[in-house]
């Protein structure tokens, strides 16, 4: 009966009934015995589900010039009835005056290579190299932002636990939904995005994330926190979501700490908290003004690791009213659910934050660039 209610909720877009926290098998359970696994090439295959899902590959870019950007492919399926793909780019300018450049285009004639590792569509290609160490991202789908980038992995990729997945459903043997994140946290990027004002050289640092929400996004998560911190020596990444009350408002957190060539630690024993809140009068969401992000884990040889990143977020880069900006197919998935008002707040503090890292009692402190998002979807 629960399965039937869930299917009705999927198709109708209604809120789910209260299943309780036992209906979520968090990836944290896997992480108790296997904190993380290093990614193999086959772990980066597109799943391209034929049921309700949103699958994305997103490249977060931090150029030496100070430009911040993202390039993203979204594959979306609504109840097995309609599949749509989208290519998005967003550029944040370092001068604080030039308006953010946002381009979002529906892709036609999408497909994959035989191994499901490379994505193609008219005017767009995201190719994983034969040796699995770099992606090339090319798009001429929008004349405002013509993309030609190469993102090369500098540390092993990882997923938390054995398969990176949390599972949703009252029957552990037949989950009706899932959530997975796979990371290339520390990469080099080269190439350009050509805008109408001219080309922007994106030589610098990058992060790549492959995510699959194997269910309606607002059924899986009510809010999100995302952290991408890059310093000369270290990278810190965190992806945290809180489920809706239907799954007990449970918190799932995956993340890790890296340096060139190696994963220092990764797992699910991390946390995100807001030290100061500036309530948004437009929608009453508790927009963060100052934050604290914490990581803990162990190195491969068993040394204890903790890290903290805390401070003011400063003036936000952007506030995205998702229902106003996202393509129609995503609206179809969210589908007028009462109480659903998704907003994304994006930050890159001008006052650089410092990562405080402790490895087996040895303290390291390093300043770096933080790109962070706080997303609110439903109460």
């Amino acid at each position: 009966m629960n399965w039937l209610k869930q299917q009705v909720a999927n198709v109708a877009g209604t809120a789910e009934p209260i299943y309780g926290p036992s209906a979520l098998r968090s990836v944290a359970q896997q992480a108790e015995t296997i904190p993380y696994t290093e990614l193999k090439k086959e772990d980066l295959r597109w799943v391209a589900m034929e049921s309700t899902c949103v699958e994305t590959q997103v490249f977060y870019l931090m150029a030496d010039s100070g430009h911040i950007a993202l390039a993203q492919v979204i594959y979306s399926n609504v109840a097995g009835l309609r599949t749509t793909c989208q290519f998005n780019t967003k550029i944040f300018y370092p001068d604080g005056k030039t308006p953010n450049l946002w381009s979002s285009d529906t892709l036609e004639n999408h497909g994959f290579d035989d191994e499901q590792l490379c994505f193609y569509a008219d005017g767009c290609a995201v190719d994983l190299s034969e040796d699995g160490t770099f992606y090339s991202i090319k798009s001429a789908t929008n004349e405002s932002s013509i993309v030609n980038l190469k993102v090369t992995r500098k540390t092993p990729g990882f997923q938390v636990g054995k398969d990176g997945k949390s599972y949703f459903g009252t029957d552990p043997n037949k989950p009706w939904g899932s959530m997975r994140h796979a990371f290339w946290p520390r990469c080099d990027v080269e190439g350009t995005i050509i805008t109408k004002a001219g080309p922007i050289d994106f030589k610098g640092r990058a992060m790549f994330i492959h995510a699959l929400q194997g269910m309606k996004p607002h059924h899986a998560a009510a809010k999100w926190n995302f952290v991408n911190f890059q310093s000369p020596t270290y990278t810190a990444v965190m992806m945290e979501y809180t489920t809706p009350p239907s799954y007990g408002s449970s918190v799932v957190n995956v993340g890790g700490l890296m340096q060139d060539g190696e994963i220092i630690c990764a797992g699910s024993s991390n946390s995100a908290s807001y030290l100061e809140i500036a309530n948004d009068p437009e929608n009453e969401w508790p927009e963060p003004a100052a934050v604290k992000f914490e990581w803990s884990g162990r190195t491969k040889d068993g040394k204890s690791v903790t890290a903290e990143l805390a401070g003011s977020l400063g003036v936000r880069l952007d506030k995205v009213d998702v229902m106003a900006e996202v393509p129609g197919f995503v609206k179809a998935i969210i589908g007028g659910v009462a109480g659903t008002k998704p907003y994304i707040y994006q930050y890159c503090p001008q006052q650089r934050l410092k990562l405080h890292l402790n490895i087996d009692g040895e303290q390291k402190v390093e300043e770096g660039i933080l790109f962070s998002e706080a997303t609110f979807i439903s109460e």
Side-chain angles (χ1 to χ4, degrees), residues 231-293:
S231 74
T233 313
Y234 303 109
T235 291
V237 59
M238 183 186 297
M239 189 73 78
E240 179 185 275
Y241 63 94
T242 304
T243 71
S246 46
Y247 299 98
S249 300
S250 304
V251 177
V252 179
N253 188 309
V254 293
L257 303 161
M258 292 78 214
Q259 57 190 8
D260 276 350
E262 68 172 314
I263 297 169
I264 299 170
C265 72
S268 61
S269 302
N270 320 302
S271 66
S273 55
Y274 299 165
L275 302 177
E276 294 174 26
I277 286 169
N279 283 308
D280 186 337
E282 183 184 348
N283 51 38
E284 300 179 347
W285 286 128
E287 180 189 354
V291 291
K292 181 165 73 171
F293 304 118

Side-chain angles (χ1 to χ4, degrees), residues 354-375:
K354 292 178 180 177
L355 181 72
H356 293 257
L357 177 65
N358 184 313
I359 303 177
D360 205 26
E362 186 181 351
Q363 294 273 5
K364 308 272 178 97
V365 179
E366 193 162 279
E367 189 176 88
I369 300 170
L370 169 67
F371 177 79
S372 179
E373 293 182 331
T375 302

Side-chain angles (χ1 to χ4, degrees), residues 62-244:
M62 293 179 176
D64 294 342
S65 62
H67 293 80
I68 305 281
L70 63 85
Q72 177 185 45
V73 174
I74 303 178
Y75 171 102
S76 178
N77 187 311
V78 181
L81 304 174
R82 181 163 159 244
T83 298
T84 315
C85 295
Q86 199 86 4
F87 188 80
N88 299 329
T89 58
K90 189 169 190 176
I91 300 173
F92 304 97
Y93 291 82
D95 62 9
K97 294 180 242 171
T98 307
N100 302 329
L101 180 62
W102 165 248
S103 305
S104 182
D105 296 276
T106 302
L107 298 173
E108 303 295 337
N109 301 313
H110 79 274
F112 305 93
D113 68 340
D114 290 343
E115 293 185 275
Q116 297 280 110
L117 291 167
C118 302
F119 174 92
Y120 304 105
D122 291 351
C124 179
V126 179
D127 281 317
L128 180 62
S129 64
E130 189 66 36
D131 65 0
T133 61
F134 69 87
Y135 276 96
S136 62
I137 307 102
K138 298 184 179 182
S139 173
T141 56
N142 193 306
E143 61 184 18
S144 296
S145 51
I146 297 170
V147 177
N148 186 2
L149 299 166
K150 178 183 177 184
V151 171
T152 303
R153 178 169 58 77
K154 302 305 288 182
T155 64
F158 79 95
Q159 59 192 2
V160 168
K162 188 178 179 182
D163 64 5
K165 283 186 183 178
S166 294
Y167 294 93
F168 297 75
T170 49
D171 182 348
N173 298 314
K174 294 180 182 175
W176 57 55
S178 64
M179 179 85 79
R180 176 180 182 258
H181 290 88
F183 302 91
W184 280 9
R186 191 170 175 86
C187 305
D188 285 344
V189 57
E190 57 187 274
T192 59
I193 298 178
I194 301 173
T195 71
K196 289 185 174 176
I200 299 172
D201 183 354
F202 267 94
K203 182 180 184 306
R205 186 70 72 191
M207 177 181 288
F208 163 69
I209 301 175
H210 187 143
L212 172 61
Q213 300 183 48
M215 59 197 297
K216 289 201 169 191
H218 61 286
H219 285 175
K223 58 186 178 183
W224 291 86
N225 288 295
F226 169 56
V227 181
N228 171 10
F229 175 85
Q230 304 282 351
S231 74
T233 313
Y234 303 109
T235 291
V237 59
M238 183 186 297
M239 189 73 78
E240 179 185 275
Y241 63 94
T242 304
T243 71

